[in-house]
Every structure is written in structure tokens, then in C-alpha cells.
Amino acid sequence: MHLIAVFRRTLNNNNLKSFSELGVSKSFIKGLDELKIQKPTEIQERIIPILLQQKTDIVGLAHTGTGKTAAFGLPILQNIDPKDKKIQALILAPTRELCQQIQKQLFRFTKYSEKIFSEAVYGGAPIDDQIFRLSRPTHIIVATPGRLLDLLERKALSLEHINTIVLDEADEMLRMGFKQDIDKILKNVKSQRNIWLFSATLPNGIQQLIKRFLKPNAPRVQVKNISEVNQNIQHQYVLSPGVDKLKLLVYFLNAHKEDRGIIFCSTKASAQKLSRDLNQKGLSIDVIEGDMTQKERNKVLRAFRAEKLQFLVATDVAARGLDIPNLAFVAHFELPDQLEFYTHRSGRTGRAGNTGLSVSFVDDKQYKDLVKISKELKFSLKMAK
Ligand code: ADP
Ligand code: MG
């Protein structure tokens, strides 16, 4: 078992350098080690040396689960002057969960380094608390665009000494309607700052953003497309006519009593209903969707991470980017309405050398849609046994 894991790891990371060879300082490596981040992923190997060696803009194209947080987080941390108490870096991300997650990762990376202070600020939480927290020395801000503007208008912080701006999940920020907010923020920072843009996809909006705000010579780093990233995932389907869908899902979940997984729905209402239905069948399950308050979502996520819940029902937006390790499977109770969502959903399983299962519950018509998805994303599809 152990040997296989080691072998897979070697396969996935062939010829990869160590973090110290990439130029990451010892004080961070100890913190990384504790998080079991020992060998850089591909995007980390390619991006970190560039960002440590030169002041530059950069475009990083990579899907969920490829390790982008450390790819930009380590260079950010290493560029901070801890003695200078001004805000030196800004990270923009689409949701409060992502902001919290990024801030937490940065905090952990610095467990053994000189103190570097970061704060996460986002909508849907009391602004007064955030204003108070920002009154203390802060080196790095992790923010959703809307809340950042709000705080800027209230003069709760200043971006005057920012050297670096990260746009994390830039495509998702545009999709969520943050374009004008981002424009406004980028127009209001001094010109000698660097922008590091990360995105899973490169739609028109992102290309325009790059053209408008990044230097024309900004390096572009793209890691393998998803079919290669998802090598460790088996994609299966269960043919389930409408009336039998729930029954077949329950059967599947009962057959996976030892495993943990997320079941995806495409709307908030159907996610809530499915969660109730599965609860009634005696399964250990709860739901996260975008209409729930942050507190409610956090409570459910905490329970899921602590393995007090075995399964989770989620909508695409609520689950986007969340880092939930070691999922044996993801199930698509409803197919996603966008191609990327299939990728993002599936990206929750098959991580770090583990094999994962992505299983879709489809009727005849949905099966045809699924076949289209599999052709687009170039994965092979099998009937579940
Ligand atoms: P992304 O932002 O690309 O979706 P994350 O930065 O959230 O990916 O990382 C996904 C998961 O992989 C996290 O749990 C993180 O701790 C872990 N991880 C990141 N880099 C490595 C690495 N080099 N080795 C092992 N695990 C890693
Ligand atoms: Mg990320």
C-alpha cells in the first residue's frame, strides 16, 4: 500500500525539484512540511522561481487542486518585509470561504517564520469587526472585491504600499459579476505593482483583463489540461430514470459506507431537498448552498472536515474552490450546467496520488449530455458496476 503510494507520487512528480531548490526559505519549508507539502506540484515548480527571482506580472492557468495557493503564497510571503507594518500585498478571491482558506494557508506556512500578519475580509460578515482587525498591523489582505471597495471607501485600509496583487480564480470572479469592482481596484493602485493572475480558464473577459492591466511581456504558465490532471479519476455513470434516481443514489451511498464524498446538485432548492431526502434514509449528511449564511456553511464544513458527517450535498458555487482533502468520490445527482463545473466537481477527488471516482446519475437524455462532456474533457466513461 505504502509502496504504491510512493510510486504514484514519484510518477506524478517525476523530476520535480525540492522547495529549497526553488528558492523557498527554510523558515517556510518547516511549516510546509507539517502540512505534508514536501514536493512541489508542477505549477509550484514552474511559478515559484520566476516570482522569487524577478519583479514581474504573471498569468497562471491551472485547474483546481493543482496547488496554486502555495505557488503564489510562498513568493508573496517571501517578498514581505515583516518590519514594515504597511499592507504590502493584496489577494483577491471570489468567495469568503476561499479568502478564509487562503488566509489560513498563509498563516500555516508562517508557523516557523518571522511573524507575517494577514487578514481575510469578505462580504456577508460584520464590517466593523473587519475594520477593527485592519487597525492592527497587517502585511497581507485577502479579500473579495466588493468588500475591499467598501473598506477602501471607509478608509479602513490603504493600498498605497501594495507591491503585489493576486487575482485568484479570476474567471470565477468575473463569472460572479466582480468585473467592475476589479477594474476599479486595479485602476486605483500605483503603476509599479505586479499583478499575478490565476485562472482555470481563459474566457474573453480574462483576456481583456490581461491586456488591459498586465504588462505585455508577462510570462504565462499553463499546467496540463484537466484530462491529464484527472488521470487518477475514474469517470462512471449510473443509468437512473427519474423516479429511481434517489433510490439508486441511496444504494450507491450505502455501498460506500466506508468512504467520504460530495453529492452535487445544480440548484439550491434541489440540494436542500436531496439533503432532506437522504437524511430521512438515515445517512450522515448535510448541505452547503449559496443561500445559507456563512455561519451555517462553516458549521457544516467543519463537521464534514472533522469527519462527523460522512457525505455532503453541495451546489457548484458553494463548493467552488473549497479544499476538502481525501474524498473517495464525487457524485453528480444533477449534471452541471457548465463544462468547467464538471471539472471542478471532479477535482475534489483523485488528489495527491489517490484514486478517485466521479459518478453521474443520469437518465437517457442526461446520458447524452454526459457523453458530450466526456468528449470535450477527453475522459473515458464507464458504466458503474
Ligand atoms: P488550487 O488553489 O490549485 O485549487 P490548493 O492550493 O488549494 O489548490 O491546494 C490543494 C490541496 O493540495 C491543499 O490541501 C494543499 O495543502 C495541497 N497541496 C498543495 N501543494 C501541495 C504539494 N506540493 N504536495 C502535496 N499537497 C499539496
Ligand atoms: Mg485555489
Side-chain angles (χ1 to χ4, degrees), residues 63-69 72 98 101-102 168-169 198 321-322:
H63 285 278
T64 307
T66 49
K68 292 185 286 293
T69 316
F72 64 73
L98 270 177
Q101 209 165 278
I102 294 167
D168 190 26
E169 309 228 6
F198 289 87
L322 289 184

Side-chain angles (χ1 to χ4, degrees), residues 9 13 16 19 32 35-44 62-72 98 101-102 105 108-109 168-169 198 321-326 344 347-348 351-352:
R9 179 159 282 255
N13 293 317
L16 291 183
F19 279 104
L32 291 173
L35 296 168
K36 303 226 160 27
I37 301 184
Q38 284 143 345
K39 277 258 163 198
T41 63
E42 185 184 349
I43 189 126
Q44 291 162 1
H63 285 278
T64 307
T66 49
K68 292 185 286 293
T69 316
F72 64 73
L98 270 177
Q101 209 165 278
I102 294 167
Q105 287 269 72
R108 291 187 175 150
F109 295 167
D168 190 26
E169 309 228 6
F198 289 87
L322 289 184
D323 173 30
I324 298 159
N326 295 330
H344 286 299
R348 333 252 125 224
R351 286 187 179 192

Side-chain angles (χ1 to χ4, degrees), residues 83-340:
K83 287 178 198 69
D84 181 353
K85 298 288 184 258
K86 298 189 187 89
I87 300 172
Q88 299 164 52
L90 167 67
I91 299 166
L92 292 175
T95 65
R96 54 197 172 203
E97 280 86 0
L98 270 177
C99 289
Q100 291 170 322
Q101 209 165 278
I102 294 167
Q103 193 272 339
K104 205 180 282 172
Q105 287 269 72
L106 297 179
F107 180 73
R108 291 187 175 150
F109 295 167
T110 55
K111 185 165 169 193
Y112 299 98
S113 75
E114 215 174 325
K115 282 288 145 272
I116 295 178
F117 300 105
S118 55
E119 284 293 345
V121 293
Y122 36 80
I127 199 164
D128 292 341
D129 293 354
Q130 295 176 358
I131 291 175
F132 168 72
R133 285 193 274 125
L134 291 174
S135 69
R136 304 178 296 194
T138 308
H139 299 108
I140 304 170
I141 299 279
V142 190
T144 52
R147 178 53 60 101
L148 182 80
L149 280 177
D150 220 348
L151 289 163
L152 281 171
E153 266 158 36
R154 293 169 193 239
K155 306 226 179 313
L157 60 96
S158 154
L159 298 184
E160 212 173 312
H161 297 93
I162 297 276
N163 301 312
T164 312
I165 301 173
V166 177
L167 305 176
D168 190 26
E169 309 228 6
D171 50 355
E172 182 63 6
M173 286 200 281
L174 292 196
R175 224 185 50 78
M176 288 180 63
F178 282 134
K179 180 171 189 309
Q180 282 183 349
D181 289 351
I182 293 174
D183 283 355
K184 214 164 164 183
I185 293 166
L186 294 183
K187 269 191 276 180
N188 280 301
V189 286
K190 64 171 190 211
S191 57
Q192 303 95 309
R193 78 289 179 264
N194 288 123
I195 300 178
W196 302 349
L197 181 146
F198 289 87
S199 188
T201 59
L202 200 55
N204 270 338
I206 296 292
Q207 294 180 36
Q208 282 166 18
L209 201 76
I210 293 173
K211 231 187 198 155
R212 182 139 170 244
F213 292 107
L214 274 69
K215 297 188 187 74
N217 60 354
R220 238 174 235 218
V221 176
Q222 180 163 21
V223 304
K224 293 183 206 111
N225 74 24
I226 194 63
S227 56
E228 290 163 278
V229 171
N230 280 6
Q231 267 173 5
N232 300 328
I233 302 177
Q234 292 182 33
H235 300 269
Q236 300 183 350
Y237 64 94
V238 176
L239 266 188
S240 33
V243 284
D244 287 339
K245 221 181 211 191
L246 182 64
K247 220 161 72 190
L248 286 163
L249 176 65
V250 170
Y251 181 82
F252 172 88
L253 295 176
N254 279 320
H256 284 83
K257 272 265 168 358
E258 305 293 309
D259 294 334
R260 291 151 53 68
I262 301 189
I263 301 121
F264 281 96
C265 288
S266 51
T267 70
K268 297 163 191 165
S270 56
Q272 285 287 1
K273 177 166 188 317
L274 181 63
S275 170
R276 278 196 304 275
D277 288 347
L278 292 173
N279 242 314
Q280 277 177 4
K281 304 277 180 196
L283 290 157
S284 159
I285 196 156
D286 212 331
V287 59
I288 52 167
E289 44 88 350
D291 271 354
M292 292 164 60
T293 65
Q294 177 201 356
K295 215 168 154 189
E296 290 167 336
R297 281 198 263 179
N298 278 347
K299 198 171 149 215
V300 174
L301 278 173
R302 229 178 296 129
F304 189 63
R305 287 203 180 105
E307 310 200 3
K308 286 180 187 135
L309 285 170
Q310 187 171 10
F311 307 117
L312 189 65
V313 176
T315 56
D316 292 290
V317 171
R320 170 86 195 206
L322 289 184
D323 173 30
I324 298 159
N326 295 330
L327 288 186
F329 69 86
V330 298
H332 312 267
F333 191 67
E334 294 168 326
L335 286 180
D337 28 67
Q338 291 186 34
L339 200 60
E340 294 110 276

Side-chain angles (χ1 to χ4, degrees), residues 335 366-376 381:
L335 286 180
Q366 293 155 353
Y367 173 72
K368 287 185 186 136
D369 295 334
L370 180 63
V371 169
K372 272 188 216 149
I373 293 177
S374 72
K375 285 189 175 142
E376 288 274 346
L381 193 56

